[in-house]
Amino acid sequence: MTRKLYVKTYGCQMNVYDSTRIIDILAPFGFIESDKPDDADMIILTTCYIREKAAEKMFSELGRLRSFKETRKATGKETILVVIGCAAQAQGIEILERAPYVDIVLGTQNYYRLPEIVMSPKRHFSDLDFPSGDKFNHIPPPTANGVAVFLPVQEGCDKFCTFCVVPYTRGTESSRPAAAVLADARRLVATGAKEIILLGHNINTYRGISPDGTGYWGLGHLLEVLAAEIENLYRLRFLTSHPCHVDESLMKAFRDLPGLMPYLHLPVQSGSDRILTAMNRGHTAADYCRLVERLRQACPTLALSSDFIVGFPGETEADFRATLDLVHNIGYAQAYSFKFSPRPGTPAAQAPDQVPERVKSDRLVRLQRILSAQQKRFNTTFLGRDVPVLLDRKGTLAGQLIGRSPYMQVVTVKAQENLLGKIVNLRIDRIRSNSLDGTFVDSANPAYTVYDEQCGQRRLQV
Ligand code: SAM
Ligand code: F3S
């Protein structure tokens, strides 16, 4: 008997990965993914807890889903409502109390237990145990669900930045064995992946036991082996790095591996040393700038993105200006910025000198104005240039395909569907606010411009 499954995901790439895996886990039990919640036999919310807004959204979504559940119940049909992810881990008991119509709550390490629980008669169930790093032994091997896919290599974080809930919701750092990562990567490429994005909450602390069991591999070595050994893997990326753990082997990877895309997400959070200390980041603004300089020496085409928090407790106008100075110094291709959100149980939430909401809002607007100008400037440098684009989905317009440049820019092109999944060479002829428009360099013969193995890995000159 087939049953419909609706999955809604909030938050980061790790949650996106967890959602794809829970779909894989449930498939052998007859659950087929549906894009509508109203007629689903099971609804899963993969939740985020990083900022207050994310947690609030979950409760309002649960309220909406309750009505679907009740409407179906009136017609004699059951809807199993499941909450997984970081908010489930942090607030599992509260969820069952505030939303008693939720059937099952599972933590970030236990969602693989869902089939067993669904099949059992006991429905009001929660499991928030924390056997960190163990779940991969219970999840079936992955199959690519597209041409650009996520592959977790590390989970959890030991950095305990004073604003962040990740060490509490995802646990302490654990790295997957290198052999398991290589096996997953091979399977992903064999099932259609052309780009692999390695995931970890603090990925550059990766320390996976080596395949022969005699030592450990760091991230740089892992990237080197993936690039050398996996045929038809054209692009590699990794997320998210901490500035304190960028070592020589990572520099070397950026210098030597043509398949490693020249784009690094390296969150700095603030440009003020006082605030960086209060955040427990473990580095100064100058350390960060020096690191970026060394990375750019190793890989002159490297572009950077970052995360920023404005209005951290005690942040003065001078501290905020130091952040603006750092942004001007570095010059980002892209960035995410947030108002500080006090999170339960984190030290910064209890700090006495909270910044008023209107000051936070004002600083966010000012920072974002500069960051979007930098992004626009970066994108404008691509006008008239040829860029290799991995076409990974259909566009909303008829005959349109969408892909990503090496710098994660979204590029749209009029193209035939048979080019979906290919890396093509496109000339950028228009810059829009969130995307670039491309055309085939040889429009008479678009297939000619499909990159072969060699070209697909060619580096761009910025
Ligand atoms: N290393 C992590 C990762 O996997 O991407 C970063 C954690 S978090 C998912 C992403 C970003 O959210 C952080 O870099 C930080 O800028 C922001 N963030 C985390 N806690 C926050 C808070 N309490 N208030 C505002 N922003 C926050
Ligand atoms: Fe969070 Fe800091 Fe770790 S931002 S994920 S505690 S590096």
Side-chain angles (χ1 to χ4, degrees), residues 11-14 48-52 154 156-157 161-166 200-203 239-242 265 267-269 281 306-310 312 336-343 346 348:
C12 66
Q13 291 87 351
M14 201 66 95
C48 175
Y49 196 61
I50 201 83
R51 282 168 290 277
E52 197 179 348
Q154 183 273 340
C157 186
C161 298
T162 54
F163 53 81
C164 185
V165 291
V166 169
H201 292 104
N202 191 9
I203 194 165
L239 282 173
T240 293
S241 299
H242 191 288
H265 185 59
V268 65
Q269 315 295 355
R281 291 290 292 176
S306 179
D307 294 339
F308 294 92
I309 295 179
V310 298
F312 185 83
Y336 302 93
S337 44
F338 314 99
K339 289 192 262 185
F340 169 72
S341 170
R343 306 306 294 130
T346 60

Side-chain angles (χ1 to χ4, degrees), residues 265-324:
H265 185 59
L266 191 64
V268 65
Q269 315 295 355
S270 169
S272 154
D273 290 345
R274 222 173 57 78
I275 298 298
L276 287 169
T277 304
M279 286 176 164
N280 192 30
R281 291 290 292 176
H283 62 83
T284 63
D287 293 337
Y288 181 88
C289 292
R290 269 194 299 273
L291 175 63
V292 169
E293 217 176 281
R294 284 173 56 220
L295 280 161
R296 282 176 168 160
Q297 272 162 13
C299 177
T301 57
L302 189 77
L304 285 135
S305 73
S306 179
D307 294 339
F308 294 92
I309 295 179
V310 298
F312 185 83
E315 186 189 69
T316 62
E317 177 63 21
D319 293 319
F320 174 65
R321 280 174 189 270
T323 300
L324 300 185

Side-chain angles (χ1 to χ4, degrees), residues 55-74:
E56 275 167 13
K57 261 193 214 159
M58 174 193 66
F59 279 111
S60 62
E61 181 65 10
L62 283 175
R64 199 173 76 91
L65 295 174
R66 178 190 197 168
S67 60
F68 290 128
K69 192 173 157 117
E70 282 170 359
T71 311
R72 285 191 95 231
K73 196 175 175 189

